Amino acid sequence: MADLLGSILNSMEKPPTVGDKETRRKAREQAARLKKMEEDERRKKAEFRKKMEKEVSDFIQDSSQQKRKYNPMGKIERSILHDVAEVAGLTSFSFGEDEESRYVMLFKKEFAPSDEELEAYRKGEEWDPKLAEQRRRLKEQAALEETASSQTKKAETCPNSNYRDKYSHLIGTSAAKDAAHTLEANSAYGCVPVANKRDTRSIEEAMNEIRAKKRQKQEDDSGAHSSSS
């Protein structure tokens, strides 16, 4: 019986010592401080959201403003502002290279920024519409000049000679047409005429032959006319 009573007494919690009481007191105080900090954080977030909602509402109603830039703010504040802007139907972006310099810009839907404008902000530059338009025109002009230069080089590399026009004053239009047909280029051989692939005659020899055929035809026509008379 004595052994049983001793066992029960040993299993019972001993009265807290002075050290245990101090530890528990500190723990309670720390929990109370954490709770107060959480409550303060929630209160500050609510106040900041209310402030942003007011500013966003004023921005929407101000027809003279197309966009609004805010001072750098923390990640939590940026998140709240983005949420308020989305609810209000605005477009918002964050810019800045590091956390301390990041800021938020709001844009009205009808004045959404172009890719060029966003790229300027990401580079840390101020957006200048007139300068951007000048750059765009210069870029288009450079593209046109490059295209024209490419076409000129292509024409010089592979000239499109018109034999009909080139030799019509020497052998007549019909004969020049025959020469052009004989020497017609084929894209499969590049810029070398197909006739040169099959015929070893020079252009002058071909022309002389065509002239001879033309004279022979004129003589035959003249002889036939004399016979009929």
Side-chain angles (χ1 to χ4, degrees), residues 9-47:
L9 290 175
N10 290 332
S11 64
M12 292 177 62
E13 183 179 356
K14 295 180 180 180
T17 63
V18 176
D20 293 336
K21 290 181 179 180
E22 183 66 18
T23 301
R24 293 178 181 179
R25 183 184 65 79
K26 290 181 178 180
R28 288 194 298 270
E29 290 178 352
Q30 184 177 4
R33 285 196 300 269
L34 290 174
K35 183 177 180 180
K36 186 176 184 302
M37 290 174 61
E38 292 175 353
E39 292 176 350
D40 290 342
E41 189 70 18
R42 285 195 295 269
R43 178 180 55 80
K44 290 179 180 179
K45 288 181 180 179
E47 291 177 351

Side-chain angles (χ1 to χ4, degrees), residues 56 59-60 82 84-92 106-109:
V56 167
F59 169 63
I60 293 175
H82 282 304
V84 172
E86 182 179 1
V87 173
L90 300 176
T91 301
S92 63
L106 306 182
F107 298 86
K108 293 180 179 178
K109 289 289 187 180

Side-chain angles (χ1 to χ4, degrees), residues 45-57:
K45 288 181 180 179
E47 291 177 351
F48 182 78
R49 174 178 287 274
K50 186 175 181 180
K51 179 183 177 182
M52 292 300 99
E53 289 174 347
K54 175 67 168 57
E55 292 186 6
V56 167
S57 177

Side-chain angles (χ1 to χ4, degrees), residues 43-209:
R43 178 180 55 80
K44 290 179 180 179
K45 288 181 180 179
E47 291 177 351
F48 182 78
R49 174 178 287 274
K50 186 175 181 180
K51 179 183 177 182
M52 292 300 99
E53 289 174 347
K54 175 67 168 57
E55 292 186 6
V56 167
S57 177
D58 294 341
F59 169 63
I60 293 175
Q61 296 177 20
D62 189 349
S63 59
S64 65
Q65 294 190 61
Q66 300 178 3
K67 58 189 176 183
R68 171 173 289 188
K69 177 180 178 180
Y70 283 84
N71 292 326
M73 59 181 67
K75 185 176 182 180
I76 294 176
E77 287 77 9
R78 294 198 306 271
S79 177
I80 293 174
L81 181 52
H82 282 304
D83 185 58
V84 172
E86 182 179 1
V87 173
L90 300 176
T91 301
S92 63
F93 295 92
S94 290
F95 303 103
E97 296 183 358
D98 52 61
E99 187 62 27
E100 294 182 357
S101 65
R102 288 189 71 78
Y103 62 93
V104 176
M105 285 192 71
L106 306 182
F107 298 86
K108 293 180 179 178
K109 289 289 187 180
E110 59 271 28
F111 301 107
S114 62
D115 293 339
E116 292 82 1
E117 184 174 358
L118 291 176
E119 185 63 22
Y121 295 137
R122 292 189 181 104
K123 292 180 179 179
E125 302 174 356
E126 290 295 330
W127 172 247
D128 187 342
K130 293 182 180 179
L131 181 59
E133 178 64 18
Q134 182 179 356
R135 289 177 178 174
R136 185 187 65 79
R137 291 181 179 179
L138 290 174
K139 187 176 181 180
E140 290 180 352
Q141 182 64 28
L144 291 174
E145 291 177 356
E146 183 178 356
T147 301
S149 177
S150 176
Q151 292 176 347
T152 301
K153 291 180 180 178
K154 183 178 180 181
E156 291 175 352
T157 304
C158 183
N160 185 18
S161 301
N162 191 332
Y163 289 94
R164 188 188 310 176
D165 296 337
K166 186 174 182 180
Y167 296 104
S168 61
H169 66 289
L170 298 175
I171 60 177
T173 303
S174 61
K177 182 177 181 180
D178 293 338
H181 179 72
T182 302
L183 300 174
E184 182 179 2
N186 189 316
S187 59
Y189 292 98
C191 299
V192 181
V194 176
N196 289 359
K197 297 288 184 178
R198 302 191 301 262
D199 198 342
T200 59
R201 296 176 302 167
S202 65
I203 294 179
E204 289 73 14
E205 289 174 344
M207 292 300 187
N208 290 334
E209 183 177 338

